[in-house]
Amino acid sequence: MIERLLKSPTDNLFIQFFRYIIAGAFSIVGDFYLLYILTAMFGWSYLTASPVAFLFGMTVNYVISVLWVFKSGKLSNRFAEFGIFALIGLLGMSLNQLCMWFFTDKLHFYYMISKIFALSVVYIVNFTIRKKILFN
């Protein structure tokens, strides 16, 4: 069971979603850490730092998704695949920015708490679209 869950290539939706959660955890750690560093240590606005951190996390997520989460891509050209992955990511980043602004500026949440809500929304949207368009 452990081998099937963590090691073997699979097209099982449950296993892929489980692996995507782990991949997401790595990308979220990078995203949160970079967001905090850019705002707290370098004084960037959270709305400026957030897309930079998001793009970093998206890249981490892509690499892990290609190497481990999904059995294979629907495209044989990795550059085209990453381009589509990135376009979906830009949709996610736009949604992330909207959530960050709404929760921070309108509801007055601490920006790192806003990030939790934003990532929760974006995570589900990105998995669904990426699975449907890019990966088997």
Side-chain angles (χ1 to χ4, degrees):
M1 176 67 173
I2 297 294
E3 172 137 351
R4 185 166 182 237
L5 196 58
L6 297 176
K7 294 181 182 179
S8 301
T10 185
D11 57 1
N12 179 288
L13 182 62
F14 171 77
I15 294 172
Q16 288 178 338
F17 190 72
F18 174 78
R19 289 179 182 182
Y20 196 76
I21 290 170
I22 295 170
F26 281 105
S27 63
I28 287 168
V29 167
D31 186 337
F32 269 75
Y33 183 70
L34 190 55
L35 175 63
Y36 182 77
I37 294 298
L38 293 174
T39 54
M41 298 179 87
F42 291 100
W44 290 23
S45 156
Y46 77 91
L47 286 175
T48 303
S50 184
V52 173
F54 185 91
L55 290 172
F56 175 77
M58 181 187 70
T59 303
V60 169
N61 191 286
Y62 174 76
V63 170
I64 296 172
S65 291
V66 167
L67 296 176
W68 183 59
V69 174
F70 298 106
K71 184 176 176 182
S72 63
K74 292 181 179 176
L75 302 175
S76 59
N77 183 327
R78 289 285 185 202
F79 291 111
E81 183 179 82
F82 182 76
I84 294 169
F85 192 93
L87 285 174
I88 296 166
L90 289 175
L91 169 67
M93 186 172 65
S94 299
L95 187 55
N96 176 73
Q97 288 298 95
L98 179 63
C99 289
M100 289 293 293
W101 168 79
F102 178 75
F103 288 113
T104 305
D105 284 7
K106 296 300 177 193
L107 298 182
H108 306 289
F109 289 2
Y110 177 58
Y111 73 94
M112 294 300 284
I113 300 298
S114 297
K115 186 67 173 177
I116 293 169
F117 287 106
L119 283 173
S120 299
V121 171
V122 172
Y123 181 83
I124 300 292
V125 170
N126 279 352
F127 175 82
T128 304
I129 294 172
R130 287 175 177 153
K131 172 68 178 158
K132 190 78 168 167
I133 294 175
L134 286 176
F135 300 109
N136 296 322

